[in-house]
Amino acid sequence: MIERHHRDTRPRPSPRARGALVLTAVGLLAAAGAMVVPGSANAGTTLGASAAERGRYFGAAVAANKLGDSTYVTILNREFNSVTPENEMKIDATEPQQGVFTFANADRIVNHARSRGMSVRGHTLAWHSQQPGWMQNMSGSALRQAMLNHVTQVAAHYRGQVVAWDVVNEAFADGGSGARRDSNLQRTGNDWIEAAFRAARAADPGAKLCYNDYNTDDWTHAKTQAVYAMVRDFKQRGVPIDCVGFQSHFNSGSPYPGNYRTTLSSFAALGVDVQITELDIAGASPTTYRNVVNDCLAVSRCTGITVWGIRDSDSWRASDTPLLFDNGGNRKPAYDAVLAALNNGTPPPTSTPPPTTGPTTPPPGGSCTATLRDGTRWGDRFNSEVVVNGATSWTVVVAVTPPQKISATWNGSPSWDTSGNVMTMRSNGSGNVFGFTTMANGNWTRPQVRSCTAS
Ligand code: G3I
């Protein structure tokens, strides 16, 4: 069963009464000498929260049979805000017999993710590999129809729950030919890919539709150029494609290329999002992980990064120790490099002089910057924090969207306009990060920072 967020139907206090409640809560917290708002935000200290601050997601491939492993789940829930089922949405898993669909394992992952505010990438609807026996034995128009029915049924089952689908996976050949990969699907006709995309769009019009492949990271490679030409053609002809996934399994035979950023930005310039969908790096070089993250951050349409597993022992290439956590679940140096890269954000172009350093606190009445970052999300409410830079004494105005209501605050002195939806927060000596909890009341729009004034 899919757990859904329900509108909060409990009676709500008036703005004035609610303001008093907030102030009471803040007073109690201050009196307690500790910040005890539930699940305080983790931005800046976890991969997902730091990526969110950059407008991206940070995801992991997840296996349903590991959701009972407490070390695994602890890391998943703490660090990641996007999930890709590693095998559970594939054709052999979801349609083991023709016309018989099994979604139990994939549903477990989707429910785990969505009930915790994580988004889900769907992987994958049409692929030459991991086909069930019945499909492997099909060809021609019967296979084409079976493939389209599979795309339709699976995308429809997850309509509204999957933010992006790898509609077609690995359809191009390796090597220098730039040709399509030979497969039973390819032999149904060259238009099988666009047919799959059209079926996916019809089944779930809200999902982003991606083409996903490996060895497409080096801009000079024939395979990369062939995928690029297909995407350009699709965009020109109106075939519904929204994104391209770069698996990015890097090792000595398929190393991280120095022109990776060029590849990402070139595809993005076609008018599609780009996503790093299955990242792992043999040996987990912190430098290479940092480079990958910085390349994504440098391309505004690079919307997120997924690592292909959590601990090294969870990897399909475990002996390469390619991931961010060791077998015991400890953070590796690569983890530290990724987190630091996410927290530093987009590096300036090399031709841009470094920002000037010096006093950052403007005179009273001057401006400061206030950046909102996402915190923990529950079924009915979510935390946000605001980081203020450029002033030690400040006033920040934040608005939430009705019928949202702010139910608690910390590390600042709040006041309210008559609507109760606009909060003016003043520094109270608790530092430069304040936070608040918003009751969603069915609306999950991010709060907006309206202004920051040094005082
Ligand atoms: O679960 C069964 C187990 O019951 C059985 O005893 C065992 C014996 O072979 O197999 C187990 O299933 C394996 C499954 O992984 C779960 O571990 C399959 O054999 C194995 O083929 C499967 O491998 C997956 C592989 O795709 C299949 O192509 C990997 O986990 C998965 O990480 C990998 O993911 C792919 C992406 O989908 C596409 N890009 C490349 C990437 C790496 O190959």
Side-chain angles (χ1 to χ4, degrees):
M1 283 294 290
I2 303 301
E3 186 173 315
R4 296 186 188 282
H5 300 300
H6 295 285
R7 178 180 286 270
D8 182 4
T9 54
R10 291 169 294 178
R12 285 191 286 279
S14 67
R16 186 185 297 270
R18 195 251 316 110
L21 277 177
V22 170
L23 294 173
T24 304
V26 172
L28 286 172
L29 291 173
M35 205 275 283
V36 290
V37 167
S40 59
N42 291 321
T45 61
T46 68
L47 303 171
S50 295
E53 196 175 346
R54 298 289 153 206
R56 272 90 173 173
Y57 64 82
F58 206 98
V62 165
N65 63 10
K66 291 181 179 150
L67 290 176
D69 176 332
S70 63
T71 304
Y72 182 88
V73 171
T74 298
I75 300 170
L76 169 63
N77 293 354
R78 185 185 70 221
E79 297 288 345
F80 297 98
N81 58 5
S82 169
V83 156
T84 304
E86 186 176 1
N87 288 301
E88 294 77 357
M89 286 182 169
K90 291 173 179 174
I91 313 173
D92 59 354
T94 50
E95 195 177 356
Q97 299 167 50
Q98 189 170 14
V100 178
F101 290 86
T102 54
F103 295 116
N105 285 333
D107 283 354
R108 283 179 61 205
I109 296 174
V110 171
N111 293 346
H112 182 99
R114 283 171 48 80
S115 65
R116 290 164 178 80
M118 307 170 187
S119 60
V120 178
R121 293 194 82 259
H123 174 81
T124 176
L125 295 170
W127 190 20
H128 69 276
S129 181
Q130 280 185 282
Q131 293 182 0
W134 64 265
M135 186 178 271
Q136 292 175 30
N137 293 328
M138 291 182 87
S139 63
S141 61
L143 173 61
R144 173 66 70 91
Q145 285 313 310
M147 180 274 286
L148 293 175
N149 184 56
H150 180 85
V151 170
T152 299
Q153 298 300 325
V154 177
H157 178 80
Y158 290 108
R159 180 165 40 224
Q161 301 179 51
V162 165
V163 296
W165 268 111
D166 291 334
V167 177
V168 171
N169 195 39
E170 302 175 359
F172 280 80
D174 291 312
S177 71
R180 294 283 184 87
R181 174 193 296 277
D182 180 49
S183 72
N184 59 350
L185 291 169
Q186 180 62 30
R187 289 190 292 272
T188 69
N190 206 50
D191 63 344
W192 74 276
I193 298 179
E194 61 194 85
F197 274 83
R198 289 198 171 94
R201 178 69 97 226
D204 186 356
K208 300 273 191 188
L209 305 183
C210 305
Y211 174 78
N212 192 54
D213 214 331
Y214 67 90
N215 282 351
T216 49
D217 314 292
D218 189 318
W219 180 238
T220 66
H221 282 183
K223 187 172 175 182
T224 310
Q225 290 299 314
V227 174
Y228 178 84
M230 179 189 73
V231 175
R232 185 178 53 197
D233 172 57
F234 280 11
K235 293 298 287 183
Q236 285 171 350
R237 290 193 294 115
V239 177
I241 185 168
D242 306 303
C243 38
V244 175
F246 297 84
Q247 295 186 9
S248 306
H249 297 291
F250 294 129
N251 54 42
S252 57
S254 178
Y256 163 80
N259 57 25
Y260 189 58
R261 190 179 299 189
T262 299
T263 303
L264 298 177
S265 61
S266 299
F267 275 84
L270 292 176
V272 289
D273 289 343
V274 293
Q275 302 175 339
I276 298 167
T277 52
E278 303 183 16
L279 180 63
D280 49 27
I281 301 171
S285 155
T287 302
T288 310
Y289 263 107
R290 185 194 64 216
N291 288 341
V292 170
V293 172
N294 281 335
D295 288 341
C296 180
L297 292 172
V299 176
S300 60
R301 291 198 76 147
C302 181
T303 56
I305 298 172
T306 298
V307 284
W308 205 242
I310 294 180
R311 301 161 299 194
D312 285 332
S313 50
D314 302 315
S315 169
W316 68 302
R317 287 176 168 167
S319 61
D320 284 352
T321 61
L323 294 175
L324 302 178
F325 296 87
D326 68 18
N327 296 356
N330 304 300
R331 299 169 179 88
K332 293 166 59 179
Y335 171 96
D336 298 331
V338 167
L339 189 64
L342 290 170
N343 284 335
N344 287 334
T346 308
T350 47
S351 58
T352 303
T356 47
T357 54
T360 54
T361 304
S367 66
C368 41
T369 62
T371 306
L372 187 96
R373 58 192 192 188
D374 300 322
T376 306
R377 177 170 162 168
W378 298 270
D380 59 349
R381 65 197 193 283
F382 58 93
N383 280 353
S384 307
E385 289 194 333
V386 175
V387 184
V388 181
N389 279 303
T392 50
S393 180
W394 38 261
T395 301
V396 174
V397 177
V398 174
V400 297
T401 306
Q404 293 175 341
K405 293 291 177 196
I406 294 176
S407 60
T409 72
W410 57 96
N411 291 352
S413 297
S415 58
W416 311 87
D417 78 340
T418 51
S419 75
N421 296 114
V422 179
M423 173 176 73
T424 299
M425 183 68 94
R426 291 185 174 79
S427 51
N428 67 355
S430 300
N432 73 332
V433 180
F434 70 87
F436 55 99
T437 301
T438 304
M439 301 305 300
N441 293 325
N443 186 316
W444 295 89
T445 307
R446 287 183 96 212
Q448 302 99 46
V449 173
R450 292 209 172 149
S451 64
C452 185
T453 311
S455 51

